[in-house]
Amino acid sequence: MVAVSHSEAFAPIRAAKLAKKLSWAKNLTIKVTILIQNILLLSKQSKLIRNFVAMKANMDSKILPVVLCVAVIASVSYIFPSDSVVQVLMLSTATWFVTWNLYRRIAPAERAGGVSLLIFWVLLCVGCVLNSWWFTTAQGATSENPVFINNDAWLAWEQMKAVLSGGEDLGLPARRGYGYLLAWLSWGGSPTLLPLLWLNSLAILIAIVLTGASASRMAATRSARVCTLAMICTGGVCYFLASGTILIKDAFSCLIMAMALYAFYGARRCLTRWILLSVAMLLAVPVRSHLLVFIAIAGVCSLAENWRSKVALAAWAVIVGGALYMLVRSAVGDMPVAADGTTNLVLQGGNARLNAYNIVAGEYDSVNGTTAWYHIVRLPFSVAVQFLTPLPKEFARDTIFGPTLFWSHISYPWYALGGILLYVLFFRLRQAPRMVSAAMIFAVTATVMTAYATGGTISRYCLPWLPFFAPAAAWFLSTDGWRSRSFKYWAVCYVIGIAAAIAVVFYFIDTYSPGGWEAA
């Protein structure tokens, strides 16, 4: 018999115990691995759930306000009927779709900018509904044959109908082009009033978006904050917004200059720049042909790298001088005088609606022998009048254009913006980015030229320059320059000066023109 040692006798038992321990460790490892996998899977699933919930909430946060705004527009359309509510909703939805997608495509979008754009859209839609009702149902007419109280809208509508029917051309040479444009936009059909008003509102919304997108690039930061501030500075001017709700050419004039602004300062590709400029110039021909001259001046300003350059200054002086000569000659030539006693540019003498203006400052009349030197001497007064009008308080004065024209006399946003712009012009223009200062120099030039040609009495002629002003204000506000002590001193003095100026103006109007300053 072979002897077996104690260690050898217990070897199978130890091996079995070791195998059992290894099996338990293996099972534990497998279980831990499965547990970790389950935890990771659960975490991944919970993340997906959170993302889904956040996406749904984000969609709701974007869709719900639009739905509520559409409900508001539908309610107003039901209370003030002109066209069917379905047509109103289709037009308003299409307008928002185009505007919102353009904003997201070319501008640095943010929540504040989207909310601002939404507010402007609702105001324009409600304004179009009110004005359509005013000229149709309220006058006992239809949308196919509205009754216009003001001469400008009536002439544009009749000119459009004459073009579409192949009838006789009517209207003054300087005022008939907008009718041609409306006829082309009608695509040869039977137009109604509401879609044409919606085209004007779309033009204003696009102008606001183009201004914001341009400002963000002009400030050299592509900042969403600058974009939003520029949009607010543009759409917040009530007269600018109101021009998108009435059947006159000012909405397209604003769009033309906003396109020029984006072409010169916002577009990155050369092809985009030239396409925009071509479209802007083609639109300017029927709308207001003298905008071509202002586009040329804006182009010279944008190309001037250094305003000390003699070549840039010479080109600017030649173009501005030629434009002033053209504007005044067009007003005193063979152009017929309208029924209200005015041409398209220079206010004629003998207009009873401007008694206060004529008594205080004398008639601003090129026909009766006043010279260019006389206009230059009066230029500070003309610019001041241009800045102050349209005057506040006279809210019901221009409702012949539509109920929304009372917006134009909510002048305080414009006065606030004007105070910022004047501070930038006098104290901060050298610190501003080059493109911002170049655009503002053009806007100031265009405003002075307008005041020179009209004596400052036709405030809506300066609306197209607002997109060139807004980037300067947006840049200044984005730098928190309004917190400085010098600006606070300026603001106090400016508010006192504006209040005193308005009080003086109202005194002379109440004394010499009790009926109001109708041409302002």
Side-chain angles (χ1 to χ4, degrees):
M1 177 177 288
V2 179
V4 179
S5 66
H6 183 270
S7 59
E8 291 177 347
F10 286 93
I13 299 175
R14 287 198 300 269
K17 290 182 178 180
L18 180 61
K20 186 176 181 180
K21 290 181 180 180
L22 291 174
S23 176
W24 179 84
K26 181 179 180 181
N27 291 335
L28 179 62
T29 303
I30 293 173
K31 289 181 180 180
V32 170
T33 303
I34 293 174
L35 178 63
I36 293 174
Q37 290 177 346
N38 289 334
I39 292 174
L40 292 175
L41 180 62
L42 181 63
S43 175
K44 185 177 181 180
Q45 289 177 346
S46 64
K47 185 177 181 181
L48 290 175
I49 293 173
R50 288 196 303 271
N51 290 339
F52 175 77
V53 172
M55 181 179 67
K56 186 176 184 302
N58 190 31
M59 290 176 62
D60 291 341
S61 67
K62 292 180 179 179
I63 295 175
L64 184 59
V66 177
V67 172
L68 293 176
C69 292
V70 169
V72 171
I73 296 169
S75 302
V76 175
S77 178
Y78 179 78
I79 298 172
F80 299 96
S82 58
D83 285 42
S84 66
V85 177
V86 175
Q87 184 181 13
V88 170
L89 294 181
M90 290 178 60
L91 289 170
S92 59
T93 304
T95 303
W96 174 250
F97 178 80
V98 172
T99 306
W100 175 249
N101 281 279
L102 180 66
Y103 172 59
R104 294 194 63 183
R105 183 176 180 82
I106 69 171
E110 65 171 356
R111 181 181 295 272
V115 171
S116 303
L117 199 61
L118 189 68
I119 293 172
F120 297 147
W121 169 65
V122 173
L123 289 174
L124 285 168
C125 291
V126 170
C128 289
V129 170
L130 287 175
N131 285 351
S132 180
W133 166 82
W134 176 252
F135 291 116
T136 56
T137 307
Q139 309 297 331
T142 63
S143 188
E144 293 80 10
N145 293 288
V147 176
F148 292 106
I149 304 174
N150 66 300
N151 181 260
D152 289 330
W154 174 85
L155 185 60
W157 182 268
E158 293 299 323
Q159 187 70 52
M160 176 195 66
K161 289 173 58 179
V163 173
L164 291 175
S165 63
E168 182 181 357
D169 183 16
L170 53 91
L172 303 178
R175 301 166 66 188
R176 65 188 177 192
Y178 182 55
Y180 283 114
L181 179 64
L182 294 180
W184 297 334
L185 294 175
S186 300
W187 297 328
S190 299
T192 57
L193 176 60
L194 194 59
L196 297 179
L197 293 180
W198 240 274
L199 285 174
N200 279 357
S201 68
L202 180 61
I204 288 298
L205 286 171
I206 293 175
I208 292 172
V209 172
L210 291 176
T211 303
S214 301
S216 67
R217 293 174 182 173
M218 294 164 70
T221 58
R222 191 165 169 74
S223 167
R225 184 186 181 191
V226 174
C227 176
T228 300
L229 288 171
M231 290 168 59
I232 293 174
C233 290
T234 309
V237 176
C238 301
Y239 202 175
F240 187 89
L241 204 64
S243 65
T245 63
I246 53 181
L247 198 68
I248 58 177
K249 64 183 71 173
D250 295 290
F252 276 92
S253 298
C254 296
L255 174 61
I256 290 168
M257 295 311 299
M259 292 172 68
L261 174 74
Y262 188 78
F264 292 134
Y265 301 105
R268 292 183 174 181
R269 297 181 179 179
C270 185
L271 179 62
T272 304
R273 179 178 298 110
W274 285 110
I275 290 175
L276 281 173
L277 282 177
S278 300
V279 174
M281 289 187 289
L282 286 174
L283 283 175
V285 172
V287 175
R288 276 203 178 113
S289 58
H290 65 265
L291 288 179
L292 294 171
V293 179
F294 287 100
I295 292 175
I297 299 173
V300 173
C301 292
S302 68
L303 294 174
E305 293 289 340
N306 185 350
W307 279 99
R308 295 178 181 177
S309 170
K310 296 180 180 179
V311 176
L313 285 175
W316 178 83
V318 169
I319 294 178
V320 170
L324 288 174
Y325 177 79
M326 182 201 72
L327 294 177
V328 176
R329 283 297 296 175
S330 67
V332 301
D334 297 330
M335 183 179 298
V337 178
D340 60 1
T342 64
T343 65
N344 69 322
L345 287 176
V346 176
L347 192 66
Q348 302 301 304
N351 193 332
R353 296 180 303 176
L354 284 178
N355 283 337
Y357 180 91
N358 293 331
I359 290 172
V360 172
E363 292 185 357
Y364 201 85
D365 185 1
S366 296
V367 175
N368 293 330
T370 56
T371 63
W373 178 248
Y374 173 75
H375 291 173
I376 293 174
V377 171
R378 282 185 50 178
L379 198 54
F381 176 81
S382 300
V383 173
V385 171
Q386 186 77 67
F387 176 77
L388 290 173
T389 56
L391 299 166
K393 190 183 78 170
E394 307 291 336
F395 297 111
R397 192 183 64 200
D398 295 316
T399 51
I400 59 171
F401 286 91
T404 58
L405 253 291
F406 86 91
W407 292 355
S408 65
H409 295 281
I410 305 176
S411 306
Y412 308 109
W414 164 244
Y415 292 157
L417 178 61
I420 296 172
L421 292 172
L422 288 173
Y423 180 82
V424 172
L425 178 65
F426 294 147
F427 304 109
R428 295 291 301 275
L429 194 60
R430 290 187 177 182
Q431 289 78 37
R434 185 193 63 82
M435 290 190 290
V436 171
S437 60
M440 189 170 184
I441 288 172
F442 162 76
V444 172
T445 302
T447 302
V448 172
M449 291 174 63
T450 306
Y452 175 89
T454 65
T457 58
I458 308 178
S459 55
R460 59 192 176 93
Y461 284 179
C462 277
L463 290 178
W465 323 140
L466 183 58
F468 284 81
F469 274 124
W475 164 79
F476 174 74
L477 293 173
S478 67
T479 60
D480 291 334
W482 56 275
R483 297 178 183 272
S484 65
R485 181 177 299 179
S486 62
F487 179 77
K488 292 178 181 178
Y489 289 153
W490 164 265
V492 172
C493 297
Y494 173 78
V495 170
I496 295 173
I498 285 292
I502 294 176
V504 170
V505 169
F506 277 127
Y507 168 78
F508 283 108
I509 288 177
D510 293 338
T511 303
Y512 299 111
S513 293
W517 197 335
E518 293 291 339

